[in-house]
Amino acid sequence: MAEVFVRRLSRWQAEQQREAVADVYVEAYRRVPGEEPRDRRERDRQEFLETFAEDVQRPGFDMVVASGGNKPAAYAYGFVLDRAGEWWRALSGEVPWDWDIEELTVSGQVFALAGLMVLPAHRRGGVATRLVEQLLIRTDAALVAARVDPANEAAVGALRSWGWTRLGAVAPPGTVSDAPRVVSSDASSAAASDGTAATVPFTAVPVVGSGTVTDIWSRALTS
């Protein structure tokens, strides 16, 4: 495996590299090489480009890229969650810290891991770990959060190995195929007062993986 070099991209550079980012995204998420219909890949690519165009304009956006052989091998990016979002209201159980998540969100102290994609040839080499570390070391946020399908063993395993904690389960009001996803091989829904599945604003916390019922995972970034 060729050595990779990790560097930060400015917002402008991220916008300029959007086509390359989309290429890596499609390749990283191709289920079985050669078997996915071309029109499906093109549709996924276009949907990603539309979502990425919105994400890159969000407050606190930051991005890192890992390059190998002068070509992008992986990307990771995130942004500060909307201060008006109320994603915490659907969490089941108790938050494992004596912190006020609502206050942290309102004060712009929650950073969302919104995208992580690693080309197959560069997996199992610690690339995803390096990207996430470099991305999070730059933020002033107190908390990082992401959504993940509990059935996605690779994503759950990676988050757990990075010191993340499951906060609870939520049922988004739409399918997660329309949201940013995370792929990495490094390392029951919440009930509302009436007994129905609790929900959070669909765009509040980005998605890691796939599925219609997802868990919120998080990690403290300050002691």
Side-chain angles (χ1 to χ4, degrees):
M1 181 185 299
E3 183 178 1
V4 298
F5 301 91
V6 177
R7 63 186 176 89
R8 176 181 178 266
L9 297 178
S10 67
R11 193 187 302 266
W12 180 84
Q13 289 173 320
E15 291 177 324
Q16 295 300 306
Q17 291 194 28
R18 61 185 180 278
E19 296 294 337
V21 179
D23 288 342
V24 172
Y25 172 83
V26 171
E27 185 63 25
Y29 284 99
R30 185 179 298 186
R31 294 169 180 78
V32 180
E35 292 188 10
E36 194 172 66
R38 181 188 179 96
D39 60 344
R40 172 60 183 271
R41 294 198 300 272
E42 290 300 320
R43 185 169 65 253
D44 287 350
R45 190 177 192 278
Q46 186 57 41
E47 289 177 353
F48 171 81
L49 284 169
E50 293 173 359
T51 299
F52 185 70
E54 296 178 357
D55 289 347
V56 78
Q57 298 301 325
R58 296 181 188 276
F61 175 87
D62 202 2
M63 187 171 195
V64 290
V65 57
S67 300
N70 296 320
K71 294 183 178 180
Y75 289 95
Y77 68 91
F79 49 80
V80 175
L81 285 181
D82 186 349
R83 295 170 185 246
E86 297 185 344
W87 61 275
W88 64 87
R89 294 190 183 281
L91 290 175
S92 60
E94 296 183 1
V95 175
W97 304 292
D98 295 327
W99 287 5
D100 187 333
I101 291 184
E102 178 176 1
E103 177 58 32
L104 289 175
T105 303
V106 171
S107 61
Q109 288 293 301
V110 181
F111 185 83
L113 176 61
L116 173 60
M117 56 213 81
V118 182
L119 291 179
H122 294 276
R123 294 176 187 168
R124 298 182 178 86
V127 175
T129 300
R130 289 175 58 190
L131 283 175
V132 173
E133 288 177 347
Q134 288 301 310
L135 183 66
L136 298 182
I137 201 172
R138 297 182 52 84
T139 182
D140 293 326
L143 201 68
V144 59
R147 280 193 289 159
V148 62
D149 180 354
N152 189 329
E153 296 180 359
V156 170
L159 292 175
R160 184 175 288 113
S161 71
W162 297 336
W164 291 51
T165 300
R166 178 184 179 277
L167 297 187
V170 294
T175 62
V176 301
S177 60
D178 297 325
R181 294 172 293 178
V182 174
V183 137
S184 170
S185 50
D186 285 353
S188 75
S189 68
S193 59
D194 62 356
T196 61
T199 61
V200 292
F202 181 49
T203 58
V205 182
V207 175
V208 176
S210 60
T212 56
V213 177
T214 58
D215 290 348
I216 297 287
W217 281 69
S218 188
R219 195 187 93 189
L221 297 179
T222 59
S223 57

